[in-house]
Amino acid sequence: MSKNLILVLNCGSSSLKGAVLDNDNGEVLLSCLGEKLTTPDAYITFKKDGQKHRVELADRHDHTGAVGALLDELKKYGLDADVKAVGHRVVHGGEKYSASVLINDEVIAQLEACIPLAPLHNPANLTGIRAAQAIFAGLPNVAVFDTAFHQTMPEHAYTYAVPRALYKKYAFRRYGFHGTSFRFVAPEAARIIGKDVKDCRLVIAHLGNGASITAVKNGESQDTSMGFTPLEGLVMGTRSGDIDPAVFGFLAENANMTITQITDMLNKKSGLLGLSGLSNDCRTIEEESGKGHPGAKLALDVFIYRLAKYIGSMAVAAGGLDVLVFTGGIGENSDIIRERVLGYLGFLGLKADHEANLKARFGNAGVITTADSAAVAVVIPTNEELMIAHDTARLSGL
Ligand code: AMP
Protein backbone atom coordinates (compact mmCIF):
# COMPACT_ATOMS: atom_id res chain seq x y z
CA MET A 1 0.00 0.00 0.00
CA SER A 2 1.27 3.44 -0.89
CA LYS A 3 2.45 5.54 2.05
CA ASN A 4 2.05 9.25 2.63
CA LEU A 5 5.67 10.28 3.05
CA ILE A 6 6.67 13.89 3.50
CA LEU A 7 10.17 15.18 2.87
CA VAL A 8 11.11 17.91 5.35
CA LEU A 9 14.02 20.14 4.35
CA ASN A 10 15.94 22.68 6.40
CA CYS A 11 18.58 24.42 4.29
CA GLY A 12 21.44 26.56 5.49
CA SER A 13 23.90 28.36 3.25
CA SER A 14 26.23 25.34 3.09
CA SER A 15 24.12 22.66 4.75
CA LEU A 16 20.96 20.70 4.18
CA LYS A 17 19.09 18.79 6.85
CA GLY A 18 16.46 16.44 5.56
CA ALA A 19 14.00 13.95 7.03
CA VAL A 20 11.47 11.70 5.37
CA LEU A 21 8.49 11.16 7.66
CA ASP A 22 5.50 8.91 7.44
CA ASN A 23 2.74 11.43 7.98
CA ASP A 24 0.35 8.79 9.30
CA ASN A 25 2.46 7.76 12.31
CA GLY A 26 5.24 10.37 12.51
CA GLU A 27 7.97 7.79 11.97
CA VAL A 28 11.23 9.10 10.46
CA LEU A 29 12.19 6.61 7.74
CA LEU A 30 15.33 8.34 6.54
CA SER A 31 17.26 11.42 7.57
CA CYS A 32 20.26 13.16 6.11
CA LEU A 33 22.71 15.95 6.69
CA GLY A 34 24.53 17.55 3.78
CA GLU A 35 27.60 19.58 4.78
CA LYS A 36 30.17 21.83 3.13
CA LEU A 37 27.74 22.25 0.23
CA THR A 38 28.89 24.54 -2.58
CA THR A 39 32.51 23.50 -1.88
CA PRO A 40 34.45 20.64 -3.54
CA ASP A 41 34.47 18.79 -0.18
CA ALA A 42 30.68 18.57 -0.02
CA TYR A 43 29.20 15.34 1.32
CA ILE A 44 25.94 14.02 2.67
CA THR A 45 25.39 11.58 5.52
CA PHE A 46 22.30 9.38 5.48
CA LYS A 47 20.79 7.70 8.50
CA LYS A 48 18.35 4.83 8.23
CA ASP A 49 17.39 2.35 10.95
CA GLY A 50 20.18 3.69 13.18
CA GLN A 51 22.87 3.06 10.50
CA LYS A 52 24.81 5.96 8.99
CA HIS A 53 26.67 6.15 5.73
CA ARG A 54 28.36 8.97 3.87
CA VAL A 55 28.20 9.87 0.19
CA GLU A 56 30.68 12.33 -1.36
CA LEU A 57 28.99 14.89 -3.58
CA ALA A 58 32.10 15.80 -5.58
CA ASP A 59 30.52 16.26 -8.99
CA ARG A 60 27.23 17.67 -7.69
CA HIS A 61 28.22 19.70 -4.70
CA ASP A 62 25.39 22.24 -4.46
CA HIS A 63 21.98 21.98 -2.73
CA THR A 64 20.36 20.56 -5.87
CA GLY A 65 23.06 17.89 -5.96
CA ALA A 66 22.41 17.02 -2.32
CA VAL A 67 18.65 16.73 -2.91
CA GLY A 68 19.45 14.59 -5.96
CA ALA A 69 21.55 12.27 -3.78
CA LEU A 70 18.63 12.08 -1.35
CA LEU A 71 16.30 11.03 -4.18
CA ASP A 72 18.82 8.32 -5.21
CA GLU A 73 18.89 7.08 -1.62
CA LEU A 74 15.08 6.93 -1.50
CA LYS A 75 15.09 4.94 -4.76
CA LYS A 76 17.42 2.38 -3.18
CA TYR A 77 14.69 1.55 -0.67
CA GLY A 78 11.81 1.88 -3.14
CA LEU A 79 10.48 4.85 -1.17
CA ASP A 80 10.76 7.57 -3.82
CA ALA A 81 7.26 7.14 -5.25
CA ASP A 82 5.73 7.41 -1.78
CA VAL A 83 7.03 10.94 -1.19
CA LYS A 84 3.95 13.08 -1.78
CA ALA A 85 5.06 16.56 -0.77
CA VAL A 86 8.00 18.61 0.48
CA GLY A 87 7.90 20.87 3.54
CA HIS A 88 10.52 23.58 3.99
CA ARG A 89 11.60 25.26 7.17
CA VAL A 90 11.74 28.94 6.26
CA VAL A 91 13.22 31.27 8.81
CA HIS A 92 11.51 34.56 8.03
CA GLY A 93 8.01 35.18 6.79
CA GLY A 94 7.97 38.84 7.82
CA GLU A 95 4.55 40.29 8.62
CA LYS A 96 3.05 38.62 5.58
CA TYR A 97 2.78 35.06 6.91
CA SER A 98 1.07 34.07 10.13
CA ALA A 99 0.68 30.44 9.02
CA SER A 100 2.29 27.91 6.72
CA VAL A 101 1.60 28.29 3.01
CA LEU A 102 1.62 26.26 -0.22
CA ILE A 103 4.49 27.60 -2.31
CA ASN A 104 3.74 29.25 -5.66
CA ASP A 105 5.47 31.99 -7.66
CA GLU A 106 3.88 34.72 -5.57
CA VAL A 107 5.11 33.12 -2.32
CA ILE A 108 8.61 32.87 -3.76
CA ALA A 109 8.49 36.57 -4.63
CA GLN A 110 7.40 37.34 -1.06
CA LEU A 111 10.24 35.24 0.37
CA GLU A 112 12.67 37.13 -1.83
CA ALA A 113 11.19 40.37 -0.49
CA CYS A 114 11.92 39.12 3.06
CA ILE A 115 15.64 38.61 2.33
CA PRO A 116 16.69 41.94 3.92
CA LEU A 117 15.07 40.73 7.18
CA ALA A 118 17.03 37.45 7.16
CA PRO A 119 19.95 37.90 4.77
CA LEU A 120 21.75 34.76 5.94
CA HIS A 121 18.81 32.39 6.17
CA ASN A 122 16.11 33.16 3.60
CA PRO A 123 18.39 32.88 0.53
CA ALA A 124 19.44 29.42 1.73
CA ASN A 125 15.81 28.43 2.29
CA LEU A 126 14.96 29.60 -1.22
CA THR A 127 17.84 27.53 -2.59
CA GLY A 128 16.32 24.48 -0.89
CA ILE A 129 12.90 25.21 -2.37
CA ARG A 130 14.35 25.52 -5.88
CA ALA A 131 16.36 22.32 -5.43
CA ALA A 132 13.24 20.42 -4.36
CA GLN A 133 11.22 21.85 -7.26
CA ALA A 134 13.93 20.69 -9.69
CA ILE A 135 14.52 17.21 -8.26
CA PHE A 136 11.03 16.30 -7.00
CA ALA A 137 9.33 17.92 -10.01
CA GLY A 138 5.57 18.20 -9.73
CA LEU A 139 5.30 17.67 -5.96
CA PRO A 140 3.67 20.34 -3.81
CA ASN A 141 6.08 22.41 -1.69
CA VAL A 142 5.04 24.07 1.56
CA ALA A 143 6.81 26.83 3.53
CA VAL A 144 6.66 26.62 7.33
CA PHE A 145 7.93 29.79 8.97
CA ASP A 146 9.86 30.18 12.23
CA THR A 147 8.25 33.59 12.64
CA ALA A 148 4.62 32.72 11.86
CA PHE A 149 3.49 31.64 15.34
CA HIS A 150 4.54 34.99 16.81
CA GLN A 151 2.43 37.09 14.48
CA THR A 152 -0.24 37.12 17.22
CA MET A 153 2.02 39.21 19.49
CA PRO A 154 0.29 42.45 20.45
CA GLU A 155 1.71 45.70 19.14
CA HIS A 156 3.08 46.71 22.55
CA ALA A 157 5.13 43.49 22.63
CA TYR A 158 6.54 43.61 19.12
CA THR A 159 7.30 47.33 18.96
CA TYR A 160 10.76 48.74 19.70
CA ALA A 161 10.87 52.18 21.30
CA VAL A 162 12.67 53.80 18.38
CA PRO A 163 11.42 56.42 15.91
CA ARG A 164 8.23 55.12 14.36
CA ALA A 165 9.55 55.71 10.85
CA LEU A 166 11.87 52.70 11.20
CA TYR A 167 8.91 50.37 11.51
CA LYS A 168 6.97 52.01 8.70
CA LYS A 169 9.90 52.14 6.30
CA TYR A 170 11.86 48.96 7.11
CA ALA A 171 9.42 46.75 9.05
CA PHE A 172 11.88 47.07 11.95
CA ARG A 173 10.11 45.34 14.83
CA ARG A 174 10.33 42.21 16.91
CA TYR A 175 9.41 38.99 15.07
CA GLY A 176 10.55 36.06 17.20
CA PHE A 177 11.70 32.64 15.97
CA HIS A 178 11.46 28.92 16.91
CA GLY A 179 7.71 29.30 16.26
CA THR A 180 7.30 25.76 14.91
CA SER A 181 8.72 24.32 18.11
CA PHE A 182 6.48 26.48 20.33
CA ARG A 183 3.44 25.56 18.25
CA PHE A 184 4.22 21.85 18.67
CA VAL A 185 5.00 22.00 22.37
CA ALA A 186 2.13 24.23 23.58
CA PRO A 187 -0.77 21.76 23.10
CA GLU A 188 1.41 18.88 24.34
CA ALA A 189 2.02 20.79 27.58
CA ALA A 190 -1.68 21.53 28.00
CA ARG A 191 -2.48 17.85 27.45
CA ILE A 192 -0.05 16.81 30.20
CA ILE A 193 -2.00 18.87 32.74
CA GLY A 194 -5.35 17.77 31.27
CA LYS A 195 -6.39 21.14 29.85
CA ASP A 196 -7.05 22.67 26.47
CA VAL A 197 -4.23 24.90 25.27
CA LYS A 198 -6.72 27.79 25.03
CA ASP A 199 -7.22 27.58 28.82
CA CYS A 200 -3.53 27.60 29.77
CA ARG A 201 -1.00 30.28 30.55
CA LEU A 202 2.27 28.84 29.30
CA VAL A 203 5.87 29.93 29.34
CA ILE A 204 7.93 27.78 26.97
CA ALA A 205 11.73 27.80 27.02
CA HIS A 206 13.22 26.37 23.84
CA LEU A 207 16.85 25.90 24.83
CA GLY A 208 19.10 24.59 22.10
CA ASN A 209 22.24 26.04 20.60
CA GLY A 210 19.88 28.88 19.73
CA ALA A 211 17.51 29.64 22.60
CA SER A 212 14.31 31.61 23.04
CA ILE A 213 11.36 31.74 25.38
CA THR A 214 7.71 32.46 24.59
CA ALA A 215 4.60 33.39 26.54
CA VAL A 216 1.44 31.66 25.28
CA LYS A 217 -2.11 32.59 26.29
CA ASN A 218 -5.34 31.49 24.56
CA GLY A 219 -3.09 29.20 22.51
CA GLU A 220 -1.35 32.24 20.97
CA SER A 221 2.10 33.78 21.30
CA GLN A 222 1.95 36.93 23.45
CA ASP A 223 5.64 37.73 23.57
CA THR A 224 8.95 36.08 22.85
CA SER A 225 12.57 36.78 23.66
CA MET A 226 14.09 36.84 20.16
CA GLY A 227 13.44 40.03 18.25
CA PHE A 228 14.20 41.54 14.85
CA THR A 229 16.86 38.84 14.58
CA PRO A 230 17.62 35.74 16.68
CA LEU A 231 20.31 37.70 18.55
CA GLU A 232 18.01 39.24 21.16
CA GLY A 233 17.04 37.62 24.45
CA LEU A 234 18.54 34.64 26.24
CA VAL A 235 22.21 33.71 26.46
CA MET A 236 22.84 31.11 23.74
CA GLY A 237 25.62 28.80 22.55
CA THR A 238 27.47 31.53 20.67
CA ARG A 239 25.06 34.51 20.83
CA SER A 240 25.15 37.14 23.53
CA GLY A 241 21.38 37.65 23.75
CA ASP A 242 20.36 41.03 25.25
CA ILE A 243 23.12 43.60 25.33
CA ASP A 244 23.32 47.37 25.52
CA PRO A 245 23.32 48.53 21.87
CA ALA A 246 25.86 51.17 22.88
CA VAL A 247 28.44 48.37 22.61
CA PHE A 248 28.60 49.12 18.87
CA GLY A 249 29.75 52.73 19.33
CA PHE A 250 32.01 51.82 22.23
CA LEU A 251 33.89 49.07 20.39
CA ALA A 252 34.04 51.04 17.15
CA GLU A 253 35.73 53.89 18.97
CA ASN A 254 37.88 51.99 21.44
CA ALA A 255 38.65 48.65 19.77
CA ASN A 256 38.63 49.87 16.18
CA MET A 257 36.07 47.22 15.27
CA THR A 258 33.69 47.48 12.32
CA ILE A 259 29.93 46.92 12.53
CA THR A 260 30.40 43.60 10.74
CA GLN A 261 33.06 42.47 13.22
CA ILE A 262 30.96 43.42 16.24
CA THR A 263 27.85 41.74 14.80
CA ASP A 264 29.92 38.63 14.09
CA MET A 265 31.32 38.64 17.62
CA LEU A 266 27.85 38.95 19.18
CA ASN A 267 26.44 36.16 17.01
CA LYS A 268 29.30 33.70 16.77
CA LYS A 269 31.82 34.29 19.54
CA SER A 270 29.70 35.22 22.56
CA GLY A 271 27.23 33.34 24.77
CA LEU A 272 28.47 30.13 26.45
CA LEU A 273 31.47 30.07 24.11
CA GLY A 274 32.55 33.65 24.75
CA LEU A 275 32.09 33.49 28.51
CA SER A 276 33.78 30.13 29.00
CA GLY A 277 36.48 30.49 26.37
CA LEU A 278 35.93 26.74 25.90
CA SER A 279 32.89 25.71 23.96
CA ASN A 280 29.32 26.51 22.89
CA ASP A 281 28.30 22.99 23.86
CA CYS A 282 26.33 22.95 27.08
CA ARG A 283 27.55 19.46 28.02
CA THR A 284 31.17 20.63 27.96
CA ILE A 285 30.25 23.73 29.96
CA GLU A 286 28.49 21.64 32.62
CA GLU A 287 31.36 19.15 32.84
CA GLU A 288 34.07 21.80 33.10
CA SER A 289 32.03 23.87 35.52
CA GLY A 290 31.74 20.75 37.69
CA LYS A 291 35.54 20.52 37.67
CA GLY A 292 35.82 24.14 38.80
CA HIS A 293 36.68 25.93 35.52
CA PRO A 294 35.88 29.60 36.37
CA GLY A 295 34.83 30.59 32.81
CA ALA A 296 32.50 27.60 32.47
CA LYS A 297 31.04 28.32 35.91
CA LEU A 298 30.38 31.95 35.01
CA ALA A 299 28.86 30.95 31.65
CA LEU A 300 26.42 28.66 33.42
CA ASP A 301 25.60 31.26 36.08
CA VAL A 302 24.83 33.96 33.51
CA PHE A 303 22.85 31.56 31.29
CA ILE A 304 20.69 30.37 34.21
CA TYR A 305 20.11 33.78 35.75
CA ARG A 306 19.08 35.36 32.43
CA LEU A 307 16.73 32.46 31.76
CA ALA A 308 15.07 32.71 35.17
CA LYS A 309 14.68 36.48 34.76
CA TYR A 310 13.01 35.96 31.38
CA ILE A 311 10.63 33.35 32.78
CA GLY A 312 9.44 35.98 35.26
CA SER A 313 8.89 38.53 32.51
CA MET A 314 7.15 36.01 30.25
CA ALA A 315 4.78 35.15 33.12
CA VAL A 316 3.76 38.83 32.96
CA ALA A 317 3.11 38.49 29.22
CA ALA A 318 1.06 35.30 29.74
CA GLY A 319 -0.97 36.94 32.52
CA GLY A 320 0.25 34.35 35.04
CA LEU A 321 1.76 30.90 34.88
CA ASP A 322 0.10 27.50 34.72
CA VAL A 323 2.85 25.57 32.96
CA LEU A 324 6.55 26.22 32.43
CA VAL A 325 7.93 24.07 29.62
CA PHE A 326 11.54 23.10 28.94
CA THR A 327 12.40 21.88 25.45
CA GLY A 328 15.30 21.86 22.93
CA GLY A 329 18.59 19.99 23.43
CA ILE A 330 19.40 21.74 26.72
CA GLY A 331 15.82 21.97 28.01
CA GLU A 332 15.21 18.28 27.31
CA ASN A 333 18.46 17.02 28.82
CA SER A 334 20.03 19.33 31.37
CA ASP A 335 18.63 18.46 34.78
CA ILE A 336 21.29 20.77 36.23
CA ILE A 337 20.08 23.90 34.45
CA ARG A 338 16.40 23.11 35.02
CA GLU A 339 16.84 22.55 38.75
CA ARG A 340 18.86 25.72 39.20
CA VAL A 341 16.34 27.76 37.19
CA LEU A 342 13.51 26.40 39.32
CA GLY A 343 15.56 27.41 42.34
CA TYR A 344 15.08 31.05 41.30
CA LEU A 345 11.33 30.60 40.79
CA GLY A 346 10.16 29.66 44.26
CA PHE A 347 8.38 33.05 44.46
CA LEU A 348 6.14 31.91 41.58
CA GLY A 349 5.25 28.80 43.60
CA LEU A 350 7.41 26.38 41.59
CA LYS A 351 9.25 23.65 43.49
CA ALA A 352 11.56 21.18 41.75
CA ASP A 353 10.97 17.45 42.22
CA HIS A 354 14.58 16.27 42.22
CA GLU A 355 13.92 12.64 41.24
CA ALA A 356 11.39 13.47 38.54
CA ASN A 357 13.79 16.06 37.13
CA LEU A 358 16.56 13.46 36.85
CA LYS A 359 14.22 11.04 35.04
CA ALA A 360 12.99 13.57 32.47
CA ARG A 361 15.99 13.31 30.17
CA PHE A 362 17.07 11.76 26.86
CA GLY A 363 13.65 11.89 25.24
CA ASN A 364 11.54 11.28 28.33
CA ALA A 365 8.78 13.82 28.88
CA GLY A 366 7.42 14.52 32.34
CA VAL A 367 6.40 16.85 35.14
CA ILE A 368 9.42 17.98 37.17
CA THR A 369 7.73 19.96 39.95
CA THR A 370 6.25 18.69 43.21
CA ALA A 371 2.51 18.11 43.54
CA ASP A 372 2.12 21.08 45.90
CA SER A 373 3.68 23.54 43.44
CA ALA A 374 1.47 26.47 42.46
CA ALA A 375 2.37 25.91 38.80
CA VAL A 376 3.70 22.93 36.89
CA ALA A 377 7.06 22.65 35.12
CA VAL A 378 7.33 20.00 32.41
CA VAL A 379 9.92 18.66 30.02
CA ILE A 380 8.67 17.99 26.49
CA PRO A 381 10.87 16.86 23.59
CA THR A 382 10.11 19.11 20.64
CA ASN A 383 9.42 17.79 17.15
CA GLU A 384 9.63 20.53 14.57
CA GLU A 385 9.93 18.05 11.68
CA LEU A 386 6.61 16.43 12.58
CA MET A 387 4.91 19.83 12.77
CA ILE A 388 6.32 20.74 9.33
CA ALA A 389 5.22 17.36 7.92
CA HIS A 390 1.67 17.79 9.26
CA ASP A 391 1.34 21.31 7.86
CA THR A 392 2.74 20.13 4.54
CA ALA A 393 0.33 17.21 4.30
CA ARG A 394 -2.65 19.38 5.22
CA LEU A 395 -1.85 22.14 2.75
CA SER A 396 -1.09 19.57 0.04
CA GLY A 397 -4.52 18.01 0.53
CA LEU A 398 -3.16 14.63 1.69
P1 AMP B 1 19.78 21.68 19.90
O1 AMP B 1 20.27 22.93 19.22
O2 AMP B 1 18.33 21.71 20.27
O3 AMP B 1 20.17 20.42 19.17
O4 AMP B 1 20.57 21.60 21.30
C1 AMP B 1 21.96 21.56 21.36
C2 AMP B 1 22.40 21.82 22.78
O5 AMP B 1 21.85 20.84 23.66
C3 AMP B 1 23.91 21.79 22.95
O6 AMP B 1 24.35 22.89 23.72
C4 AMP B 1 24.11 20.50 23.75
O7 AMP B 1 25.26 20.56 24.56
C5 AMP B 1 22.85 20.47 24.59
N1 AMP B 1 22.68 19.14 25.18
C6 AMP B 1 22.43 17.97 24.55
N2 AMP B 1 22.45 16.95 25.45
C7 AMP B 1 22.71 17.49 26.67
C8 AMP B 1 22.86 16.96 27.99
N3 AMP B 1 22.75 15.67 28.24
N4 AMP B 1 23.12 17.83 29.01
C9 AMP B 1 23.24 19.15 28.77
N5 AMP B 1 23.11 19.71 27.53
C10 AMP B 1 22.85 18.89 26.50
Side-chain angles (χ1 to χ4, degrees), residues 235 271-279 281-306 336-337 340 344:
V235 176
L272 296 178
L273 173 66
L275 283 170
S276 68
L278 288 174
S279 171
D281 190 308
C282 186
R283 278 165 295 203
T284 309
I285 301 299
E286 288 184 356
E287 269 165 38
E288 293 301 322
S289 169
K291 291 183 203 156
H293 186 285
K297 196 178 160 307
L298 181 64
L300 215 48
D301 290 347
V302 178
F303 182 97
I304 290 166
Y305 173 69
R306 175 92 53 89
I336 297 175
I337 289 180
R340 283 187 56 192
Y344 275 110

Side-chain angles (χ1 to χ4, degrees), residues 304-327:
I304 290 166
Y305 173 69
R306 175 92 53 89
L307 175 56
K309 199 164 84 164
Y310 254 104
I311 292 168
S313 67
M314 287 298 157
V316 172
L321 181 65
D322 298 311
V323 190
L324 168 64
V325 187
F326 291 95
T327 191

Side-chain angles (χ1 to χ4, degrees), residues 208-209 280-283 286 328-330 333-334 361-362:
N209 198 31
N280 64 319
D281 190 308
C282 186
R283 278 165 295 203
E286 288 184 356
I330 298 173
N333 294 300
S334 175
R361 301 176 72 197
F362 312 127

Side-chain angles (χ1 to χ4, degrees), residues 95 150 152-168 171-176 222-224 226-228 232:
E95 289 189 313
H150 300 299
T152 49
M153 279 197 286
E155 194 176 29
H156 62 253
Y158 72 67
T159 302
Y160 287 117
V162 293
R164 198 74 186 122
L166 291 183
Y167 171 63
K168 296 203 173 119
F172 182 70
R173 50 159 281 181
R174 310 184 63 255
Y175 289 95
Q222 305 296 325
D223 200 354
T224 190
M226 284 179 169
F228 181 64
E232 189 177 337

Side-chain angles (χ1 to χ4, degrees), residues 223-239:
D223 200 354
T224 190
S225 58
M226 284 179 169
F228 181 64
T229 74
L231 183 56
E232 189 177 337
L234 301 174
V235 176
M236 309 180 211
T238 61
R239 295 190 193 117

Side-chain angles (χ1 to χ4, degrees), residues 45 55 60 83 93 149 171 173 176 178 185 260 270 294 331:
T45 311
V55 174
R60 45 171 174 175
V83 176
F149 183 64
R173 50 159 281 181
H178 290 138
V185 163
T260 308
S270 298

